[in-house]
């Protein structure tokens, strides 16, 4: 049974004109706040992703969170779980049906068509980061507002594209300090060969569907491929015995899949073939893939993607093959924390501790100068004892405390205390930035 919601009340401050205690408003189920203790690692992961995308010559695209509902009905598929059960859809004031995007590939392809990027010719390599919305049952690693980091290549159906993107992904995960992950790949064929397979599958399902879950019994009629990604444990033995799509690929799809395998081998990218991997969106053609990571529990799919050669046409654009993926950033963060090889920057370079009214002005000037050069610096706002200042510096994880009191003003040399070792040195004000640079080994943030 669901736990009853905890209702907290917060008493109004004394002297407040509000006399009745109001109940506190809480965040919406399945959404969460990322607090300042967490965001440094999120930012670090995003920086690494941007760096890797940049190295592979991907450019960022930012599309709206709000799209017309049709965009997803047409691309993701009218019979998918996302479209039938999970979208946040509402009528706008002018009666138009709008949806909070459940994924971004459809939006990227819409933008590609709308702005006629295809006219520029060649291959377009795009990436995005941002929140997506699906009304799923919340649990660890699964939220109703979750974050994806994704990339798309539009304009070529060459197997090299698939392999290059998969190589980039394994490189990114390695840079994030992840070692234990598996790349699973499959091919779901194309408009030519998939219908034949779907008929074979439909036929095979007639014999066993009564032993499958209610959803699968429905899917066996409406969209048999979806049966393959059923997560119900009791169905798995039957599903494992169903015909495999890789045995029904047409010559072109077979050649493409062989090409991807050969390219992956050449690049030293390790993978396994999983013939059941069809993924939960209808637009995929040929290659589909997923990367799973141990240590994530039930929600072990870190990312997924594939090829979608017909999507542009489904959205009213020209023929323009595509390949892409989306990483679930919430799960990626769990994996990065679990691996423990990457740390977010929680410290500050220096805390300026001043003593006595006369020290405030020079202290504020030093802090301003350091900040304007980009150093992360904090300064006390009120005169307090040195011991209090140092304990604040400690709490803020300051690497150095710069102490400015009457003695320092008289000598023209500030005390700089290494908060790790406790060692202290005297430094002239003008030399402080150079001193920090030398000691911290990095420039300003
Ligand atoms: P998809 O867009 O369905 O191909 O999913 C790509 C990735 O996004 C998955 O492998 C998950 O890591 C992540 N993902 C999908 N749905 C959710 C969700 N509700 N909460 C958190 N992550 C999700």
């Amino acid at each position: 049974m669901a736990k009853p919601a905890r209702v907290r009340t917060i008493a109004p401050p004394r002297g407040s004109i509000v006399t009745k205690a109001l109940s506190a408003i809480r965040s919406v189920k399945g959404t969460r706040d990322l607090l300042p203790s967490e965001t440094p690692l999120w930012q670090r992961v995003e920086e690494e992703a941007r760096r890797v995308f940049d190295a592979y010559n991907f450019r960022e695209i930012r599309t709206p969170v709000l799209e017309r509902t049709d965009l997803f009905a047409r691309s993701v598929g009218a019979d998918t779980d996302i479209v039938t059960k999970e979208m946040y859809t509402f009528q706008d004031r002018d009666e138009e049906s709008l949806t909070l995007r459940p994924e971004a590939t459809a939006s990227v392809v819409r933008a590609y068509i709308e702005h006629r990027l295809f006219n520029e010719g060649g291959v377009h390599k795009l990436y995005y980061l941002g929140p997506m919305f699906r009304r799923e049952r919340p649990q660890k690693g699964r939220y109703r507002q979750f974050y994806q980091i994704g990339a798309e290549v539009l304009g070529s159906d060459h197997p090299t594209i698939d392999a290059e993107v998969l190589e980039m992904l394994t490189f990114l995960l390695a840079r994030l300090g992840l070692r234990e992950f598996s790349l699973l790949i499959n091919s779901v064929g194309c408009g030519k060969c998939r219908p034949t397979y779907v008929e074979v599958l439909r036929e095979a399902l007639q014999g066993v569907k009564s032993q499958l879950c209610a959803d699968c019994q429905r899917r066996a009629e409406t969209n048999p491929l979806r049966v393959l990604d059923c997560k119900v444990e009791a169905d798995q033995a039957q599903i494992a015995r169903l015909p495999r799509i890789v045995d029904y690929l047409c010559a072109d799809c077979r050649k493409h899949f062989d090409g991807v395998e050969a390219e992956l081998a050449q690049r030293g990218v390790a993978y396994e073939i999983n013939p059941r991997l069809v993924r939960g969106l209808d637009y995929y053609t040929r290659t589909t893939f997923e990367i799973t990571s141990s240590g994530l529990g039930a929600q072990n799919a870190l990312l997924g993607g594939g090829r979608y050669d017909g999507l542009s046409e489904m959205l009213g654009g020209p023929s323009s093959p595509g390949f892409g993926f989306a990483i679930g950033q919430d799960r990626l963060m769990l994996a990065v924390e679990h691996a423990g090889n990457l740390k977010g920057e929680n410290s500050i370079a220096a805390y300026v501790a001043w003593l006595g009214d006369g020290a405030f002005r020079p202290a504020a000037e030093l802090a301003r100068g350091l900040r304007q050069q980009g150093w992360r610096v904090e300064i006390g706002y009120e005169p307090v004892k040195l011991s209090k200042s140092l304990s604040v510096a400690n709490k803020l994880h300051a690497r150095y405390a710069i102490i400015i009191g009457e003695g320092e003003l008289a000598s023209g040399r500030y005390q700089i205390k290494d908060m790790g070792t406790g060692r202290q040195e005297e430094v002239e004000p003008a030399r402080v930035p150079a001193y920090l640079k030398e000691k911290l080994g990095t420039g300003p943030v």
Side-chain angles (χ1 to χ4, degrees), residues 70 117 161 169 174 189 213 333 341 354 426:
D70 272 356
L117 298 185
I161 303 275
L169 268 171
C213 69
M333 298 311 300
N341 295 319
W354 53 277
E426 289 185 352

Side-chain angles (χ1 to χ4, degrees), residues 208-281:
V208 295
K209 78 174 183 203
S210 59
Q211 297 159 53
L212 299 176
C213 69
D215 272 346
C216 281
Q217 294 191 15
R218 183 180 52 80
R219 292 174 188 137
E221 303 300 330
T222 57
N223 193 346
L225 266 188
R226 293 272 76 83
V227 172
L228 299 182
D229 51 28
C230 168
K231 299 284 184 296
V232 175
E233 199 45 54
D235 288 4
Q236 298 310 309
Q238 288 294 354
I239 291 173
R241 284 197 284 272
L242 292 169
R244 298 153 22 120
I245 194 162
V246 281
D247 298 328
Y248 292 84
L249 298 179
C250 62
D252 285 347
C253 288
R254 183 75 252 173
K255 188 166 159 234
H256 185 272
F257 197 46
D258 290 345
V260 174
E261 282 202 71
E263 281 263 354
L264 287 175
Q266 215 157 44
R267 290 160 195 260
V269 175
Y271 66 92
E272 273 171 60
I273 297 178
N274 176 350
R276 309 281 154 216
L277 191 71
V278 291
R279 315 237 345 102
L281 301 94

Side-chain angles (χ1 to χ4, degrees), residues 82 86 102-105 128 132-137 139 141-148 279-281 283-284 289-291 296 299-305 325-332:
I82 296 178
E86 297 170 0
E103 61 109 47
T105 302
Y128 61 84
M132 309 294 155
F133 305 84
R134 293 182 197 172
R135 203 174 190 288
E136 295 193 80
R137 197 166 53 76
Q139 54 181 277
R142 199 204 272 162
Y143 304 94
R144 290 181 171 180
Q145 174 171 336
F146 60 100
Y147 295 81
Q148 288 188 334
R279 315 237 345 102
L281 301 94
Y283 53 60
Y284 286 121
F289 68 93
E290 228 168 61
I291 291 186
L296 281 182
Q299 306 302 315
N300 69 348
L302 204 52
L303 61 93
F325 65 83
I327 306 174
Q329 195 180 353
D330 308 78
R331 294 181 199 175
L332 181 66

